[in-house]
Every structure is written in structure tokens, then in C-alpha cells.
């Protein structure tokens, strides 16, 4: 397959700054030209994909052949207290302490529970 044509010539520096802002990416003035070239190459590749003849091809929900295995929402036996205590990273019986998963894990931000 040939290399996709670059569309960098069609992108202005203002376009690159706007895409960076919308994507919440920090792009320095020194990086603008390199990003413009790479973004143009991506656009050229997407344009080539649009030229493919897909007549008769079925759309795919995802690239793999895997399907979700759904089971009924039935109650089941939970873990024993001992098993849970053995798995926990920090224990102060009968409680367990686990790493924070909300608010970035830095102790700040919002999340359940209070201090």
C-alpha cells in the first residue's frame, strides 16, 4: 500500500492551534509545523480510506470477533471475610482500605466518603 498523501498544505497554523485547543493539547510554537505535517498525513490517510469500494461489505460494530457474554443478574455467594481480608492491600479488621479511584487518586477532588 502506498503512503497516504499529506494534506499539510491545506492546514494553516491557525487550524493546528484550534485542533490542539479543542483536543486540550499543549503545542508550543516550535511544534506547530511538525504537528501540521503529521495531522495532514492523518487527514490524507482518512481521505484514502474514504475512496475504498465497500459495496456489499457489512458494517462492523468492532474489529474483533468477540461478543459480550452476558449473564443474568442473579445473586451469588460473595467472598468470605477471610478471603477479602487476604486480598486487601491494607487491613484494619473488620475494615479494608483500598486505593482511591475517584478524583485522580491524589487524595483531592470529589468522591464518596468524607474526611
Amino acid at each position: 500500500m502506498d503512503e497516504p498523501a499529506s494534506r499539510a498544505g491545506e492546514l494553516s497554523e491557525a487550524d493546528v492551534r484550534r485542533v490542539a485547543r479543542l483536543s486540550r493539547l499543549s503545542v508550543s510554537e516550535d511544534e506547530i509545523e511538525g504537528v501540521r505535517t503529521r495531522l495532514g498525513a492523518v487527514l490524507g490517510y482518512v481521505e484514502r480510506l474514504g475512496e475504498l469500494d465497500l459495496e456489499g461489505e457489512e458494517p462492523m460494530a468492532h474489529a474483533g470477533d468477540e461478543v459480550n457474554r452476558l449473564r443474568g443478574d442473579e445473586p451469588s455467594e460473595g467472598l468470605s471475610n477471610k478471603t477479602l481480608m487476604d486480598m486487601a492491600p491494607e487491613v484494619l479488621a473488620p475494615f479494608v482500605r483500598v486505593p482511591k479511584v475517584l478524583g485522580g487518586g491524589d487524595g483531592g477532588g470529589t468522591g464518596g466518603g468524607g474526611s
Side-chain angles (χ1 to χ4, degrees):
M1 186 179 252
D2 297 330
E3 287 292 315
S6 175
R7 297 188 55 181
E10 299 176 27
L11 293 171
S12 68
E13 290 184 6
D15 293 330
V16 174
R17 286 187 191 92
R18 182 170 186 266
V19 169
R21 182 179 50 79
L22 292 171
S23 304
R24 295 190 172 138
L25 297 173
S26 176
V27 178
S28 71
E29 288 300 313
D30 295 337
E31 297 172 311
I32 294 284
E33 187 58 33
V35 171
R36 186 173 152 280
T37 300
R38 290 192 308 270
L39 188 55
V42 169
L43 291 174
Y45 185 73
V46 170
E47 189 173 83
R48 284 193 52 203
L49 289 176
E51 296 170 0
L52 293 175
D53 178 15
L54 301 176
E55 188 67 36
E57 295 295 325
E58 289 293 319
M60 296 177 8
H62 49 82
D65 291 334
E66 301 296 322
V67 294
N68 290 336
R69 290 184 8 195
L70 302 176
R71 62 176 175 80
D73 189 12
E74 300 292 327
S76 62
E77 187 176 322
L79 297 174
S80 72
N81 192 289
K82 178 178 179 352
T83 302
L84 179 61
M85 294 295 166
D86 290 343
M87 291 171 47
E90 193 174 328
V91 174
L92 180 59
F95 305 104
V96 296
R97 182 177 179 158
V98 295
K100 185 173 182 175
V101 295
L102 299 176
D106 60 0
T110 60
S115 303

